[in-house]
Amino acid sequence: MGFETLVVSVEDGIGTITLNRPEVLNALSSQVFGELSQAAGELADDDSVRVLIITGGDKVFAAGADIRDMAKAEAMDIALAGRPSQKAFQLIENIPKPVIAAVAGYALGGGCELTLVCDVRIAADNAKFGLPEITLGILPGAGGTQRLPRLIGVGKAKEMIFSGDFIDAEEALSVGLVNKVVPAEELMNEAKRLAKRFASRGAVALRMAKSAVNEGLRMDLAAGLQYEHKCFSLLFATQDQKEGMQAFLEKRKPKFQGK
Ligand code: CAA
């Protein structure tokens, strides 16, 4: 795994992707989108990796798509580029393992949109979120107009998208954009603590639970409930279900095998 714009590591079953373009506040260039897709694909396929953390380090998450990349683009350049940001982000959204965003500093534009494809967002108390694309004469083009209203509701999402204003970590917590706010120096410890908690659960059940939520959100309620029931039924074909229930009855901790 050799990357120029990312640092990727695997430790104790946790794969960590760190955006690494500090000189431009981790702006997301087309190279970053390509490398993110590659790293996410590799970590998704690596059975030793149970949970992923995506971070920008302790100063900034990402200040958005690279404006220098886009400044001279014509409409057809964008139209024919093959939606690299949307594709990279969809790939991350569909990784069949929990993905945690650990956010310090700015998560703006494409940076904020990247957090939206993670399953859980942990923010440092110095984090700032925003979709400032409107101030550049464009709109959020990496899923922000679609995922933010689904996560925090239409009214607050429109306020953020129309104004381009940033919100701080506490406000992000109050509107449901992040799951938890912690002191900046605790950010990675908290993300790893949560990752370990997820990793202690059965991998197949996690995969199915993520799929049931993600796919269900694309369906009406009746279809979603049917899909949930299929996932639920299938889990009774796993050793982990037998082990989980047996362990409960024997009053001991389950030893999940991920099968
Ligand atoms: N693209 C390219 N370069 C960027 C960047 C970006 N999104 N954000 C910051 N940088 C660069 C700056 O140009 C600057 O480089 P130089 O030192 O060479 O001048 C360096 O990073 C440091 O930035 P600042 O000097 O501006 O730092 P600051 O602390 O004064 O301000 C900031 C920080 C408020 C985040 C400011 O940098 C900013 O407003 N950045 C742009 C935010 C933005 O508009 N993001 C949306 C991008 S569009 C998008 O994301 C589209 C989409 O939906 C996919």
Side-chain angles (χ1 to χ4, degrees):
M1 289 196 253
F3 298 106
E4 287 178 7
T5 65
L6 311 175
V7 176
V8 179
S9 63
V10 176
E11 198 185 338
D12 290 340
I14 303 169
T16 302
I17 299 176
T18 307
L19 302 164
N20 188 32
R21 297 185 78 208
E23 68 287 359
V24 285
L25 309 185
N26 291 337
L28 306 166
S29 60
S30 47
Q31 184 180 4
V32 178
F33 291 123
E35 293 192 0
L36 264 178
S37 297
Q38 194 190 334
E42 287 175 10
L43 294 175
D45 290 345
D46 182 341
D47 287 339
S48 75
V49 174
R50 304 286 312 281
V51 179
L52 273 71
I53 296 175
I54 301 181
T55 186
D58 58 3
K59 296 202 170 51
V60 61
F61 186 77
D66 194 315
I67 299 170
R68 273 193 189 84
D69 262 12
M70 291 181 293
K72 294 204 177 81
E74 299 293 338
M76 289 313 288
D77 299 328
I78 302 291
L80 298 177
R83 298 193 289 154
S85 58
Q86 285 194 355
K87 281 188 181 159
F89 290 0
Q90 267 180 306
L91 204 149
I92 292 167
E93 187 171 45
N94 291 320
I95 289 174
K97 305 175 184 182
V99 181
I100 299 168
V103 182
Y106 292 113
L108 304 177
C112 182
E113 292 166 299
L114 174 54
T115 74
L116 298 177
V117 293
C118 299
D119 299 307
V120 170
R121 284 152 290 280
I122 306 293
D125 53 9
N126 63 8
K128 285 197 166 52
F129 295 82
L131 293 175
E133 286 88 342
I134 204 85
T135 67
L136 299 168
I138 56 170
L139 56 73
T145 66
Q146 303 306 303
R147 294 191 181 95
L148 190 65
R150 284 170 169 81
L151 183 66
I152 69 170
V154 174
K156 187 67 191 177
K158 282 183 176 165
E159 183 189 325
M160 288 179 68
I161 293 166
F162 295 175
S163 69
D165 290 345
F166 306 162
I167 61 173
D168 64 17
E170 282 307 324
E171 189 173 358
L173 181 67
S174 74
V175 299
L177 176 46
V178 302
N179 298 63
K180 191 166 188 178
V181 179
V182 295
E185 60 278 12
E186 274 302 306
L187 179 66
M188 286 314 285
N189 287 340
E190 179 63 23
K192 284 181 188 162
R193 195 194 61 76
L194 191 61
K196 282 189 183 140
R197 197 154 173 73
F198 291 160
S200 72
R201 311 307 190 200
V204 191
L206 279 174
R207 179 190 189 111
M208 291 286 199
K210 179 163 176 173
S211 174
V213 175
N214 282 6
E215 297 304 322
L217 282 170
R218 296 179 192 128
M219 302 172 189
D220 63 31
L221 182 61
L225 288 169
Q226 278 206 16
Y227 184 66
E228 179 192 74
H229 188 65
K230 286 209 165 61
C231 296
F232 183 69
S233 312
L234 260 181
L235 287 173
F236 284 75
T238 64
Q239 290 176 20
D240 284 352
Q241 175 269 330
K242 314 280 177 249
E243 166 63 10
M245 294 195 180
Q246 196 59 35
F248 175 82
L249 296 174
E250 291 171 8
K251 301 189 188 303
R252 61 174 171 82
K253 282 198 167 165
K255 291 197 190 86
F256 291 124
Q257 305 294 323
K259 43 190 175 178

